[in-house]
Amino acid sequence: MDKKDLQILSAISELGTGSPERIQEKTDIPKSTVHYRITKLQEAGVIEDDLYSIDLSSIGLEITLISEVSAEYEEGYHTEVGDELSQIEGVNKVYFMMGDTDFVVISKLADRNMVEELIADFEEIDGVNRTNSQFVITTVKDTTNPIAAYSSEALTSMVSETE
Amino acid sequence: MDKKDLQILSAISELGTGSPERIQEKTDIPKSTVHYRITKLQEAGVIEDDLYSIDLSSIGLEITLISEVSAEYEEGYHTEVGDELSQIEGVNKVYFMMGDTDFVVISKLADRNMVEELIADFEEIDGVNRTNSQFVITTVKDTTNPIAAYSSEALTSMVSETE
DNA sequence: ATTGAAACTTGATCGTT
DNA sequence: AACGATCAAGTTTCAAT
């Protein structure tokens, strides 16, 4: 697992494809080399299947953290705070909602230090006044694409048919 | 937007690829037809880019709901409750954690009826004793793959190099 | 282990219905 | 709009380094 592997994994994640050509464009690593590396990563179990889902624990991202962040209500504050939260390294999802909790933030981290840093980053943001973080013990279900949570039959009955 | 389109969108979501051949295998729709339909869906803005991320609101899935579900602690209950939560139609993610909230459940729904149904489904599960749901107003950030939240440089410094 | 070039497989296009 | 046949583009393999 060297820099070249990580460049390839990053490219797969960012592009959403394992296409050697696309990865070459992104990384300047020749497509035949990309192909060779991907084969090795599959053998090692880092890339789990033909759809290129990546085993996060094999690159150290073992901790999932769910954080509730609430912020002061002032004009414009909420979008600004949301943007700042979303830019913190390691943050995957930021949901904004009305009510007691303003934001739910989901992040993947490697160790306790990164957890400390993340929480410190939250509290440094201007306008944030309360944070509460919990470690995820198990992710019971994780479908990346919400549509996959429905059968095409269920979708058909939901969507008004447009001829 | 007819049944054939929805079969194709389902296949894209399930397979994680827009490959006409793969979709043909899954749906028995000829790959040339699949290609034709996908082009139309792209023109219509339903499929947003070349990586096949799907515009959920254009097929009616406009509501994101985050629910906290707590359950009785008894031997085995937690895994069982988690499984049942994950099987409810529309549920995308189920996180299990220690502490006050046991589960965080994220779902994508089309209308208020489905919200009511979902919450009823939660409460029907044996062992569930408290649920609290909030509507997401805006999803500020949503990276499907956690690795994309890090630069390859950040990953390199995190991962112990294996020669 | 890397890579340029050849061989092959798949995706995109075309023409007919 | 659908789809079988054709063409173009991509992926995989291979041989030399």
Side-chain angles (χ1 to χ4, degrees), chain B residues 5-111:
Chain B
D5 283 325
L6 291 165
Q7 278 181 281
I8 291 167
L9 292 175
S10 278
I12 289 173
S13 299
E14 216 172 313
L15 297 171
T17 176
S19 157
E21 186 133 318
R22 301 285 300 279
I23 294 169
Q24 171 169 3
E25 287 165 22
K26 189 99 198 158
T27 62
D28 286 322
I29 302 167
K31 63 178 180 174
S32 48
T33 305
V34 169
H35 180 77
Y36 174 81
R37 291 290 191 128
I38 287 178
T39 306
K40 287 284 179 193
L41 287 166
Q42 283 174 321
E43 284 169 4
V46 175
I47 294 172
E48 282 172 334
D49 57 27
D50 43 326
L51 302 172
Y52 301 105
S53 73
I54 294 159
D55 175 31
L56 294 173
S57 67
S58 72
I59 63 160
L61 290 173
E62 279 168 304
I63 299 170
T64 303
L65 197 73
I66 298 188
S67 309
E68 298 172 353
V69 176
S70 69
E72 280 173 35
Y73 186 74
E74 283 183 45
E75 192 65 44
Y77 251 73
H78 280 71
T79 53
E80 207 182 293
V81 170
D83 278 350
E84 292 193 48
L85 288 170
S86 73
Q87 278 157 32
I88 296 172
E89 204 163 56
V91 168
N92 294 299
K93 304 228 182 204
V94 178
Y95 299 105
F96 172 55
M97 57 200 46
M98 299 301 277
D100 207 38
T101 347
D102 291 328
F103 297 96
V104 169
V105 180
I106 295 170
S107 21
K108 275 277 175 191
L109 305 165
D111 52 47

Side-chain angles (χ1 to χ4, degrees), chain A residues 59-72:
Chain A
I59 63 159
L61 290 174
E62 280 168 304
I63 298 170
T64 302
L65 197 73
I66 297 187
S67 308
E68 299 172 351
V69 176
S70 68
E72 280 173 34

